[in-house]
Amino acid sequence: MGKVTGFLEIDRQVGKYQPASDRIRHFREFTIPMSDGEVKKQAARCMDCGIPFCHGPTGCPIHNQIPDWNDLVYNDNWDEAIRNLHSTNNFPEFTGRICPAPCEEACTLNLEDVPVSIKTIEQAIADKAYEKGFIIPQPAVSKTGRTVAVIGSGPAGLAAAQQLGRAGHEVHVYERESRPGGLLRYGIPDFKMEKHFIDRRVTQMEGEGVTFFCGVNVGIDKPIQELIDTYDAVLYCGGAETPRPAGIPGGEFEGVHDAMHYLVQQNRRIGRENIESVAWPSDPIIASGKHVVVVGGGDTASDCVGTAFRQGAVKVTQLDIRPQPPEKEDKLSVWPYWATKMRTSSSQAEGADREFQVATLEFIGENGTLTHVKCCEVDEARKPIAGTDFFIKADLAFIAIGFSGPFEDGIVKELAGSLDMRADRRGNRSVAADDKNYRTSIDKLYTAGDVRRGQSLVVWAIREGRQAAQSIDAALMGASVLPR
């Protein structure tokens, strides 16, 4: 490494946030970028580990070559840094913003709670590459004459489409919504990632020959069998969008919503689109002046918290059935794996009241409208503890407890009987295919991303899209030069 003693001499720094009182007044990103000099100093902290766990199986799912591009940044070689980063990750400006960074958990310096600021550096490389004009279309030198349809333009679909287009295939992407991006665009709030980053990548991909057909709901507007009959291969990247059933009485009251209804609607509002989505129809949901309760403890729940504050909620309470985790993990028993410990998102830090080890028993309402949420404390088995019931005032409640699989209408319904599905122990359904060739039970039909593996991280979707593209290319051409 360029600075072998950097980790001894330089303190860990990450991008600072705008104060909460300022950032809740807008929906834009609020991280204050670090200067090039500061980023280079952070890259210098990479300590040339004998075994770099950060890009191994416990760290980065797409195996970013993190020590290599840290060294390139330290030596001010931004051009080569983005080439190295792009060799494993099609969209580092996405993951640099919204990935939870398991690579930092796996960093050797995390044994001392001061991991290298990998996520910050990754975002800086991508942003610098755009600033300097390094990211341009890379069309294939020659065409193969083969055609591939990609259904869905989330991270898996986009990654696969870009890889297949660069391999020389004619690639057509079919997207249900009016603009590409899937839940990158419609599920993730703008304050975490502004959508012009997606637009820039779509423009690049169009320059590489990829064609986007938006507003086409395959399985509803256009039979998937028509695509299978027309194209040499079809890749299904439809995501896992069915909300997991909560089974909480009172869910019919006005004011109770699935979290994704709320997030999609607000993203469409910011994007100046009609708020009524094809998949998420709803009357306007606004938290201004209201008491909000969010049921769930994950990223989607946190996104609801931040959105509610920006809409002007009076109070936001987040309910998590899990016990409050410890402030610090036992490094020797957990590292380099993702640790269960107390984590506070930027949205939660904006003023949310968090209740742990609490079950949501019932939504209470009057005249058909939500007024309270009935809760109770639970034991370690998540069973209610007698005599601990309490009520929280609520005008709005969002259920954010995860997703159980792809929508059951459309493609899954059309192919019922011939498309193999599988279910896990929680009853979550997914399209059956292995992670070697990504083939489904139907000839010429492949699948990747959340629709195959269940709800997961954006970085896993990118990995699956890239690997599925390599499998399709090999099947069409007999061999493939695309990386897995």
Side-chain angles (χ1 to χ4, degrees):
M1 302 300 294
K3 183 74 169 176
V4 294
T5 58
F7 70 98
L8 297 171
E9 301 169 10
I10 302 167
D11 292 335
R12 168 181 161 89
Q13 299 290 333
V14 295
K16 301 295 191 295
Y17 293 159
Q18 293 176 1
S21 57
D22 292 339
R23 66 182 188 249
I24 63 171
R25 299 175 185 274
H26 60 79
F27 280 87
R28 300 182 302 278
E29 292 182 14
F30 51 79
T31 301
I32 301 170
M34 298 171 67
S35 69
D36 290 356
E38 290 171 326
V39 174
K40 289 170 62 176
K41 288 173 66 177
Q42 291 306 304
R45 297 185 65 246
C46 194
M47 62 185 296
D48 197 17
C49 302
I51 300 176
F53 288 92
C54 58
H55 66 81
T58 60
C60 181
I62 49 179
H63 304 300
N64 279 339
Q65 299 169 99
I66 294 162
D68 293 344
W69 44 256
N70 276 334
D71 185 53
L72 290 165
V73 168
Y74 173 72
N75 286 290
D76 205 28
N77 193 345
W78 297 90
D79 189 5
E80 186 61 32
I82 191 62
R83 278 198 290 269
N84 186 298
L85 186 46
H86 273 153
S87 71
T88 56
N89 184 356
N90 295 68
F91 314 119
E93 68 274 27
F94 300 169
T95 52
R97 285 171 165 80
I98 59 178
C99 184
C103 52
E104 294 189 17
E105 291 284 307
C107 177
T108 302
L109 286 173
N110 191 39
L111 286 167
E112 299 293 331
D113 290 315
V114 286
V116 175
S117 308
I118 300 169
K119 180 177 174 179
T120 297
I121 299 166
E122 180 179 21
Q123 179 182 334
I125 294 172
D127 291 349
K128 176 63 71 173
Y130 273 111
E131 176 189 322
K132 287 185 169 290
F134 296 152
I135 299 178
I136 59 175
Q138 301 175 38
V141 175
S142 60
K143 292 291 187 179
T144 65
R146 303 301 178 90
T147 59
V148 182
V150 177
I151 303 169
S153 64
L158 288 176
Q162 184 163 65
Q163 294 295 96
L164 289 165
R166 289 176 175 177
H169 305 303
E170 181 73 19
V171 181
H172 294 172
V173 179
Y174 291 88
E175 168 56 45
R176 178 190 66 214
E177 300 294 343
S178 56
R179 297 178 186 174
L183 290 187
L184 278 173
R185 182 181 296 275
Y186 294 105
I188 294 172
D190 277 54
F191 56 81
K192 290 176 70 173
M193 187 182 78
E194 295 177 12
K195 303 311 181 282
H196 60 84
F197 296 108
I198 301 171
D199 297 334
R200 290 196 302 196
R201 282 296 179 181
V202 169
T203 298
Q204 181 196 29
M205 292 172 65
E206 289 174 335
E208 295 168 350
V210 176
T211 304
F212 289 85
F213 296 95
C214 294
V216 181
N217 193 355
V218 176
I220 303 291
D221 305 328
K222 177 187 275 299
I224 188 174
Q225 190 61 51
E226 181 181 323
L227 300 184
I228 296 172
D229 294 340
T230 302
Y231 292 86
D232 295 307
V234 177
L235 176 60
Y236 177 27
C237 300
E241 299 180 278
T242 300
R244 184 174 291 123
I248 302 171
E252 73 281 0
F253 285 122
E254 181 181 345
V256 180
H257 304 274
D258 285 315
M260 201 51 64
H261 286 200
Y262 180 52
L263 297 176
V264 169
Q265 185 183 111
Q266 181 58 27
N267 282 333
R268 294 180 70 88
R269 186 179 289 118
I270 292 173
R272 302 192 177 188
E273 297 186 60
N274 187 322
I275 63 170
E276 181 144 332
S277 164
V278 174
W280 308 99
S282 181
D283 293 329
I285 310 170
I286 300 292
S288 176
K290 296 180 179 179
H291 290 74
V292 177
V293 171
V294 181
V295 180
D299 289 339
T300 302
S302 176
D303 292 345
C304 288
V305 170
T307 300
F309 279 130
R310 282 159 180 76
Q311 288 186 346
V314 172
K315 183 178 181 181
V316 180
T317 305
Q318 184 176 355
L319 307 179
D320 194 332
I321 199 169
R322 299 170 298 182
Q324 181 169 334
E327 290 292 332
K328 183 175 170 58
E329 74 274 32
D330 179 359
K331 298 287 187 184
L332 295 182
S333 65
V334 178
W335 182 87
Y337 297 95
W338 185 262
T340 298
K341 62 181 177 182
M342 188 65 175
R343 302 174 190 269
T344 301
S345 71
S346 60
S347 293
Q348 292 162 342
E350 289 162 0
D353 287 346
R354 302 172 69 185
E355 298 280 354
F356 289 95
Q357 212 161 339
V358 165
T360 306
L361 298 179
E362 184 179 1
F363 297 115
I364 307 295
E366 295 180 5
N367 300 319
T369 300
L370 177 71
T371 60
H372 294 82
V373 177
K374 182 180 180 181
C375 310
C376 73
E377 297 177 13
V378 296
D379 58 23
E380 292 183 357
R382 299 188 179 183
K383 301 297 183 182
I385 298 175
T388 63
D389 295 3
F390 62 98
F391 295 83
I392 300 174
K393 176 178 173 58
D395 306 299
L396 283 176
F398 301 119
I399 303 172
I401 58 173
F403 303 89
S404 62
F407 285 135
E408 293 294 325
D409 60 356
I411 291 173
V412 173
K413 184 177 181 180
E414 180 185 341
L415 298 179
S418 56
L419 181 65
D420 287 348
M421 303 289 290
R422 59 189 172 198
D424 64 15
R425 58 186 178 81
R426 299 184 65 184
N428 301 325
R429 284 164 52 82
S430 59
V431 177
D434 64 37
D435 61 356
K436 300 299 182 185
N437 58 40
Y438 292 88
R439 292 176 182 266
T440 71
S441 54
I442 297 174
D443 187 43
K444 294 169 58 177
L445 181 62
Y446 299 75
T447 188
D450 287 4
V451 71
R452 189 201 74 85
R453 67 177 287 115
Q455 68 173 68
S456 190
L457 302 177
V458 166
V459 69
W460 273 105
I462 293 173
R463 169 185 168 138
E464 295 221 344
R466 288 170 62 90
Q467 292 187 341
Q470 193 270 351
S471 176
I472 292 170
D473 185 44
L476 295 180
M477 305 305 294
S480 178
V481 297
L482 293 176
R484 281 182 61 83

